[in-house]
Amino acid sequence: MSENVTTMRAAVCVRAGGPEVLEIRELPVPVVREGWSLVKVEGAGLNRSELRTRQGHSPNVRFPRVLGIECVGTLAISTYPALPEGTTVAAVMGEMGREFDGGYAEYALLPNELLMPISTTLPWEVLAALPETYLTAQGALDALGITPNTKARLLIRGGSASVGMAAASIASGYGIETAATTRQPTKAAALTAAGIDHVLPDNGEPLAPTLRDIWPEGPDYILDLIGATTLTDSLRLVRRGGTVCMAGSLSGWLIPDFEPIAMIPSATKLTAFHSDDYKGTAGAPILQRVINQIEAGIYHPNIDRILNLKDIADAHQYMENNQATGKLVAIP
């Protein structure tokens, strides 16, 4: 790192509110301290959890804050003996963008335990689309118990979300028969291109009749990325003895009046996955495997658009309007 670099551009969330509270500011480059290393950010994927933090739904976050729960880049200054300066790294979760400043900046000071060294020939904008999205998708499929070359049927609720499309890409590589819901018929072609076999419009009407036409007994697995408003319905839709995994919160976190004994059919299983489980060393080999599969052409990442950090407010508005089909990536 050049000693002449003392300031950086960052997108600062100055308070809770709409996209306009994201302001591009010139900040001092963070000072390295023991146990933390400085990453030169080359790309950061955008996530709906950042949107919810910006809106004020993360009660522990104090503003102003540089958001961003993930990033990829190179080590500019390392305090981690196993990772020399110049190493390509990724980082996700671990309170990035919440307790301390995250990836919406040219540099990020991160705890060493979050750093995931990776080897890749992928361009930065593709690499930046992978960590949070593909680790969540892979973790959710693992939680469901889905393995390659297994005859099974998977329904993804919220299929055009970036995690949904990543899960579709992985499941397609596994040879799993898939269906996915979307509220916007214009996204059907993108879902098909991602590997979805059956695209189901979600227009607010009961999903059961359409789903039963495809799979009379119901899917073996449901990955529910919508969450609060659809989870109890997913438990009714999955075949008896099947498994539902909640790994998203497009409709919020809480399910009012949830009664497990009444709402989980006998022998049906409910599980969840949180991407914080795959941070740091736990996620590094999984992310490397995903990267290898993408480089081999087995998985196909879905990037909706690549934008400059200065356009972060517009990107949040785009997310808030549910216009994205796949991942948004910011390049500093």
Side-chain angles (χ1 to χ4, degrees), residues 48-283:
R48 290 191 71 90
S49 65
E50 295 148 3
L51 182 154
R52 292 179 63 78
T53 295
R54 189 210 75 217
Q55 292 172 331
H57 299 302
S58 299
N60 295 330
V61 173
R62 298 292 177 261
F63 300 108
R65 174 64 69 212
V66 177
L67 303 182
I69 64 170
E70 65 174 316
C71 69
V72 299
T74 57
L75 279 177
I77 302 176
S78 176
T79 66
Y80 191 178
L83 299 181
E85 293 172 7
T87 300
T88 298
V89 294
V92 299
M93 299 299 290
E95 295 305 314
M96 280 181 66
R98 293 182 176 128
E99 184 178 319
F100 54 89
D101 287 345
Y104 287 15
E106 292 181 301
Y107 290 90
L109 183 65
L110 302 177
N112 288 340
E113 62 264 24
L114 289 190
L115 301 176
M116 294 185 280
I118 48 182
S119 174
T120 183
T121 59
L122 296 174
W124 289 117
E125 63 270 17
V126 175
L127 187 62
L130 306 181
E132 173 66 13
T133 295
Y134 268 83
L135 286 175
T136 302
Q138 185 66 68
L141 295 181
D142 291 346
L144 283 165
I146 296 177
T147 57
N149 303 315
T150 300
K151 288 191 176 298
R153 299 158 296 185
L154 168 68
L155 170 64
I156 303 171
R157 302 197 76 164
S160 57
S162 58
V163 173
M165 299 190 80
S169 178
I170 296 171
S172 178
Y174 280 6
I176 304 294
E177 186 180 358
T178 55
T181 65
T182 179
R183 288 178 292 177
Q184 301 185 44
T186 55
K187 296 183 177 182
L191 287 170
T192 300
I196 294 294
D197 299 300
H198 312 284
V199 178
L200 309 179
D202 184 358
N203 54 13
E205 298 294 322
L207 189 62
T210 306
L211 188 62
R212 300 304 184 205
D213 285 343
I214 302 168
W215 298 325
E217 296 180 359
D220 303 293
Y221 306 101
I222 297 180
L223 171 54
D224 198 322
L225 301 171
I226 299 174
T229 61
T230 57
L231 186 66
T232 54
D233 183 53
S234 291
L235 290 166
R236 291 190 293 265
L237 289 175
V238 74
R239 69 162 176 80
R240 182 63 64 94
T243 306
V244 176
C245 177
M246 180 174 169
S249 60
L250 297 175
S251 63
W253 297 104
L254 301 178
I255 304 173
D257 303 317
F258 182 66
E259 301 178 34
I261 291 177
M263 295 178 175
I264 303 177
S266 297
T268 296
K269 294 174 281 293
L270 171 62
T271 187
F273 177 76
H274 192 289
S275 57
D276 202 51
D277 293 344
Y278 278 177
K279 65 178 182 288
T281 55

